[in-house]
Amino acid sequence: MRCDALEENKRVFVREKNNNNMEIHFLPSLLVLSFIATAFGDGGELTLVQELSSKPAQKLSRYGWYGNIRLTMFHIPDDTVVARWLFTVTRGSGFNCGTHNVTMYMRWGAPPVIDPVGRLFPNNTVTSPVLSLNLPMTSSQSNTTFNLSNPAPGDWYLAAHLPRDDGRIEHKGFPSCSYLFQPQLSVRRAVDTPILQATPLTQSASPDRPARLRVFVPEFVSSLSVSVSGCTWWEGLVNGDCSLSLTLGSSSPQGGLVRVNCSLIGCSAVLLAPPWNTWIRVTVDSYHSNRTTAFSISVNYTVGCKPQSVGMSGDDYINRLHGNSSTTTSPGNGSVVAEAGRHNNVSSECVWSVPVLREELDVLSVRFSPINGPNVTVTHTHPTLLTYPLNTQSTGGTLNLEITLNTTNATLGNSSVMACFSSWAPVLALNYSHPCHTGLFSAIGLSVNVSVPGTVIRLPFPQAATWYLTLQLFCNSSDCGNVTVTPQLHVSACIEDCGTYGECRLLRSFSYLYAACVCKAGWSGWGCTDDITAQSYGRQLTAVLLLTLSNLLFIPPIVIAVRRCYITEASVYLFTMFFSTFYHACDQPGLTVMCIMDYDTLQYCDFLGSVCSMWVTVLCMARVRDTFKHMLFMLGTLLIAMSMQLDRRGLWNMLGPILCAVLAMVTSWVYRGLKRKQCYPPSWRRWVLFLLPGLASALVGVCVYVFAETEDNYLYTHSLWHVLVASSVVFLLPPRETDSMNTWSPGVCGYTLCHSTKEELYTVT
């Protein structure tokens, strides 16, 4: 009977909490430690070697989309007996640090496809199972371990994240709580595992030391049989009691285990369609307490259909490849990945194997096409096989398979073409009664006919393996003839480029590249196709109108600045109003978008204009000489432009210029107050009617911008921010300058004409 890998993983799962004062030492790079352990087999010792690897600590984020996860890849060597992961999460000491659980997912062969928020996947999307672990944060540092016996060799991917994002917009530079996540892996592998062959081997197993072997499965093997017999006990040599358990395969979330309990005379485990060109682990466990059982074990292969030898010479393939490349519209690297015989003289064949061309077009963009043309002939006498090898670099995208039946053949009737898409090994025995399944892994069954001439499946993050597509015609009559189908398989970055309400983004974890969709306008899901929280067109239009038209409140500051002869300040306000309006018109999701230039340029100009408006307003309030004031205008603008290029969302890029301008204003006001021996500005009406309302408006606007903005109320709070900032400029902009120190003094024959300085005492402030 088959054993589910998830149930096996639950039994070996161990959770440990670090409640003592033990110090955890993080490893900055790969550290390999080896020691020798022994497990006694028949007539010898099985050598075990331990290896330890570690990844750098990463800061976790709340989950909003797949880009918020922290993805890590570990490699498990062949013949690994047990793998032990140690997960350490360290919580910062911020004032707003809560108690959150850290969720982790594991998958073999490709990154885990997850949906923590319960959204829908696009139609015809097939996902693979993953392992889910949960780590509660009970202290500033929490640990948990996960043990897995006989893990599948290859790359294992680990994804971790914090709970769902609450929608609050956090501005860079403000205090926030940080969670650092660091995984470590310790494996113990056997370096001298016996190789199982047709000749029987004598082995022994005890409850604490199972027998471990391995067998290689070559290509075109249709079935594999492993038999255990001749059981004896070492205590008294009693014959005929095989209290053993025979297991084939390795543990993974996708399955991959077949277990059989032996009877008195022995047992046999049979794998139909075993994985090709790979090693399969064989484990024999004894469930007799304090008893060692000796037995004999052997393996038998059944070689199935082999395709006919290549019927064309190498030059023919090169010429055919050159002809294919010359007609391709997109550049790429092409190679023939499967060879086969010609489709004539099929009487000696039991399978047609179609050669396939693999073209690498771009990052996460690979196209496979039959080298003899897009159409493939399918018959009812034997299956047609196409082979698609996927490497690790292609697992970060989406595998798309489309099969279309050529319905121009009038003799189809009730005939249908069955297809089976599988990894590691093809399913060559297709029929309606048995599901599409290989010996260790499940496969995907498809069917096309006259009623449904086409079918499509999508596999996000496909496993790195050789994939096989088997096609065969089934009909009611004995004389079916042949039909043609068009199989199209390609790897793209995202599903349908994330649709209208999404954007496909290329992500990187160390040297590994993968892609995911970030959704807009309330749409969600893996491909941004779930409209359960989607914004209506009316709400989208309301958002763009509020965020753009609220910038028109900068018109009063512009008019006041022009009337008071502050032409430079008015120019800055006009610049800010223009680019803020069109930046928010371009920043909107969905259908209400209008971009007059590149998005990044609009964003840069909006941020630059906002900070420069605050800079020139505060300096204008300082009442410094025009020459010095305009020098500060230019110098500050250049420094602000430089800082915005470095990090336009940084906290100090806004606070730095404002604090410097406020310092200059306070210094000027203190100087004037000491010189006049009275408070400056001297008029209480100026303080009550202008300065205090302006400062209050600016302070409320900053608080709304920093603390109140969320993704849901952004259109309201950010529009209010525009209103409050423009209102504060109206109140804070000083009256027209009449200070005699800023009055031009003409010179005659090298002498400067003097004028009365008592006019300053009557300056309206």
Side-chain angles (χ1 to χ4, degrees):
M1 63 179 177
R2 302 185 184 275
C3 176
D4 190 357
L6 294 179
E7 295 298 329
E8 178 73 16
N9 295 333
K10 290 179 181 178
R11 290 205 305 267
V12 299
F13 176 73
V14 179
R15 174 170 294 172
E16 298 178 356
K17 295 182 179 179
N18 184 24
N19 294 325
N20 51 22
N21 295 324
M22 181 179 65
E23 182 180 2
I24 302 297
H25 297 277
F26 295 137
L27 302 181
S29 61
L30 178 65
L31 177 62
V32 178
L33 300 177
S34 300
F35 69 89
I36 303 300
T38 59
F40 292 92
D42 69 319
E45 296 180 352
L46 189 63
T47 303
L48 300 180
V49 177
Q50 183 170 352
E51 298 177 357
L52 179 65
S53 60
S54 176
K55 298 294 182 179
Q58 300 184 73
K59 184 178 179 180
L60 295 178
S61 300
R62 289 179 173 270
Y63 186 86
W65 65 293
Y66 201 84
N68 297 129
I69 71 167
R70 296 297 174 260
L71 187 65
T72 308
M73 180 175 62
F74 287 96
H75 182 78
I76 292 186
D78 294 333
D79 298 325
T80 298
V81 176
V82 61
R84 176 186 175 94
W85 279 273
L86 171 63
F87 307 116
T88 303
V89 178
T90 305
R91 184 177 60 194
S93 57
F95 67 93
N96 57 347
C97 280
T99 301
H100 301 296
N101 293 338
V102 178
T103 306
M104 297 166 286
Y105 304 89
M106 296 179 64
R107 185 186 173 200
W108 169 56
V113 180
I114 60 175
D115 183 28
V117 296
R119 295 295 184 247
L120 297 178
F121 283 88
N123 295 331
N124 305 316
T125 301
V126 180
T127 60
S128 297
V130 298
L131 279 174
S132 178
L133 309 175
N134 195 31
L135 175 59
M137 290 298 300
T138 57
S139 61
S140 60
Q141 186 179 86
S142 296
N143 302 322
T144 187
T145 58
F146 175 72
N147 298 337
L148 185 62
S149 299
N150 293 325
D155 295 330
W156 283 72
Y157 294 81
L158 170 67
H161 64 83
L162 292 175
R164 183 180 178 181
D165 189 6
D166 56 2
R168 181 176 176 270
I169 299 177
E170 295 184 358
H171 297 278
K172 188 175 180 180
F174 285 91
S176 61
C177 186
S178 62
Y179 288 79
L180 296 179
F181 173 74
Q182 183 178 38
Q184 293 175 297
L185 172 64
S186 174
V187 299
R188 183 177 296 182
R189 62 183 182 89
V191 296
D192 51 1
T193 304
I195 298 177
L196 189 58
Q197 298 177 353
T199 304
L201 293 178
T202 302
Q203 297 286 306
S204 62
S206 60
D208 57 341
R209 288 174 180 169
R212 306 181 188 276
L213 307 96
R214 62 176 180 167
V215 57
F216 184 78
V217 181
E219 201 168 359
F220 305 116
V221 170
S222 60
S223 65
L224 172 70
S225 175
V226 178
S227 301
V228 173
S229 61
C231 300
T232 59
W233 299 350
W234 284 11
E235 293 82 358
L237 298 180
V238 179
N239 295 320
D241 187 2
C242 281
S243 300
L244 302 174
S245 176
L246 175 61
T247 304
L248 303 183
S250 304
S251 300
S252 70
Q254 294 92 320
L257 283 177
V258 172
R259 174 168 296 175
V260 176
N261 292 326
C262 298
S263 61
L264 296 177
I265 60 175
C267 60
S268 178
V270 179
L271 283 182
L272 298 177
W276 288 357
N277 293 325
T278 187
W279 291 93
I280 293 182
R281 296 175 185 171
V282 179
T283 306
V284 182
D285 296 278
S286 175
Y287 47 86
H288 264 304
S289 59
N290 300 325
R291 182 176 297 172
T292 301
T293 304
F295 56 90
S296 178
I297 186 170
S298 61
V299 63
N300 290 319
Y301 299 102
T302 300
V303 179
C305 296
K306 287 187 177 182
Q308 194 178 13
S309 299
V310 174
M312 294 189 295
S313 65
D315 293 338
D316 294 333
Y317 272 117
I318 293 176
N319 294 333
R320 188 71 60 87
L321 178 61
H322 183 269
N324 243 356
S325 300
S326 62
T327 59
T328 331
T329 57
S330 300
N333 298 325
S335 61
V336 178
V337 298
E339 297 181 350
R342 289 151 35 180
H343 280 189
N344 54 6
N345 191 21
V346 299
S347 59
S348 61
E349 291 183 291
C350 56
V351 60
W352 281 351
S353 184
V354 180
V356 176
L357 174 68
R358 181 180 187 273
E359 297 177 276
E360 295 185 6
L361 306 178
D362 203 344
V363 179
L364 296 180
S365 180
V366 182
R367 180 173 58 192
F368 296 88
S369 57
I371 197 171
N372 293 321
N375 296 326
V376 174
T377 303
V378 180
T379 182
H380 72 285
T381 57
H382 44 265
T384 300
L385 180 64
L386 295 92
T387 306
Y388 307 101
L390 287 182
N391 52 19
T392 304
Q393 290 76 17
S394 302
T395 59
T398 300
L399 189 148
N400 305 272
L401 174 62
E402 181 178 0
I403 301 176
T404 306
L405 175 65
N406 185 3
T407 58
T408 58
N409 192 344
T411 62
L412 285 176
N414 295 327
S415 302
S416 62
V417 176
M418 288 192 61
C420 187
F421 192 55
S422 59
S423 60
W424 297 102
V427 179
L428 299 179
L430 295 179
N431 53 66
Y432 284 104
S433 59
H434 293 84
C436 186
H437 201 288
T438 63
L440 295 177
F441 306 102
S442 60
I444 304 171
L446 304 169
S447 178
V448 291
N449 49 43
V450 177
S451 302
V452 185
T455 183
V456 178
I457 60 168
R458 303 180 179 93
L459 277 73
F461 300 154
Q463 188 178 15
T466 300
W467 291 78
Y468 299 90
L469 177 63
T470 309
L471 301 166
Q472 191 167 359
L473 177 64
F474 288 87
C475 54
N476 297 328
S477 61
S478 59
D479 186 14
C480 293
N482 299 336
V483 297
T484 58
V485 298
T486 305
Q488 298 178 354
L489 188 141
H490 68 278
V491 176
S492 60
C494 299
I495 296 179
E496 297 182 353
D497 202 23
C498 301
T500 306
Y501 297 96
E503 178 184 354
C504 185
R505 294 188 180 179
L506 186 65
L507 307 172
R508 182 178 66 87
S509 175
F510 301 98
S511 61
Y512 180 76
L513 297 177
Y514 59 104
C517 292
V518 54
C519 304
K520 302 178 180 179
W523 289 74
S524 58
W526 189 264
C528 300
T529 56
D530 192 345
D531 60 351
I532 188 173
T533 58
Q535 299 177 5
S536 63
Y537 179 78
R539 190 179 189 280
Q540 297 178 38
L541 186 61
T542 302
V544 69
L545 291 177
L546 281 176
L547 291 171
T548 55
L549 297 182
S550 60
N551 287 283
L552 297 180
L553 288 181
F554 271 94
I555 294 179
I558 295 173
V559 174
I560 294 175
V562 171
R563 293 189 60 182
R564 297 178 182 178
C565 297
Y566 296 133
I567 306 301
T568 303
E569 291 83 344
S571 302
V572 175
Y573 300 151
L574 179 63
F575 179 90
T576 302
M577 182 185 68
F578 178 83
F579 281 101
S580 179
T581 299
F582 286 100
Y583 163 67
H584 287 291
C586 184
D587 187 49
Q588 295 306 304
L591 303 177
T592 56
V593 180
M594 185 185 70
C595 298
I596 63 173
M597 59 181 68
D598 182 67
Y599 174 83
D600 188 71
T601 303
L602 290 173
Q603 185 187 67
Y604 177 82
C605 293
D606 174 54
F607 282 46
L608 176 64
S610 300
V611 180
C612 287
S613 297
M614 303 176 189
W615 170 255
V616 299
T617 301
V618 179
L619 285 181
C620 185
M621 296 170 60
R623 293 287 197 177
V624 296
R625 294 178 181 272
D626 285 345
T627 303
F628 188 57
K629 181 179 71 172
H630 289 94
M631 184 271 294
L632 290 179
F633 281 177
M634 180 60 66
L635 179 61
T637 301
L638 294 176
L639 293 177
I640 293 170
M642 178 195 67
S643 63
M644 288 295 164
Q645 181 64 29
L646 295 175
D647 184 10
R648 66 190 63 171
R649 295 186 179 275
L651 172 64
W652 287 103
N653 289 339
M654 178 183 294
L655 293 184
I658 295 177
L659 293 179
C660 292
V662 170
L663 179 62
M665 181 189 70
V666 172
T667 303
S668 176
W669 285 9
V670 170
Y671 171 77
R672 288 172 179 265
L674 293 177
K675 185 177 180 181
R676 299 179 179 185
K677 298 181 180 180
Q678 62 177 341
C679 180
Y680 185 87
S683 173
W684 65 269
R685 293 184 179 86
R686 180 68 184 167
W687 283 96
V688 174
L689 300 180
F690 295 96
L691 293 181
L692 292 181
L695 292 176
S697 178
L699 182 61
V700 172
V702 171
C703 292
V704 170
Y705 177 79
V706 174
F707 302 107
E709 281 190 355
T710 64
E711 294 181 358
D712 294 332
N713 65 10
Y714 178 78
L715 71 160
Y716 305 110
T717 54
H718 202 76
S719 300
L720 181 60
W721 155 257
H722 291 163
V723 173
L724 292 174
V725 170
S727 302
S728 66
V729 174
V730 172
F731 286 106
L732 295 178
L733 200 64
R736 183 174 180 176
E737 182 68 79
T738 58
D739 195 343
S740 62
M741 291 187 300
N742 293 321
T743 304
W744 176 64
S745 300
V748 178
C749 298
Y751 294 92
T752 301
L753 298 181
C754 298
H755 57 274
S756 177
T757 58
K758 296 182 179 180
E759 185 180 355
E760 182 185 357
L761 298 177
Y762 305 99
T763 300
V764 179
T765 56

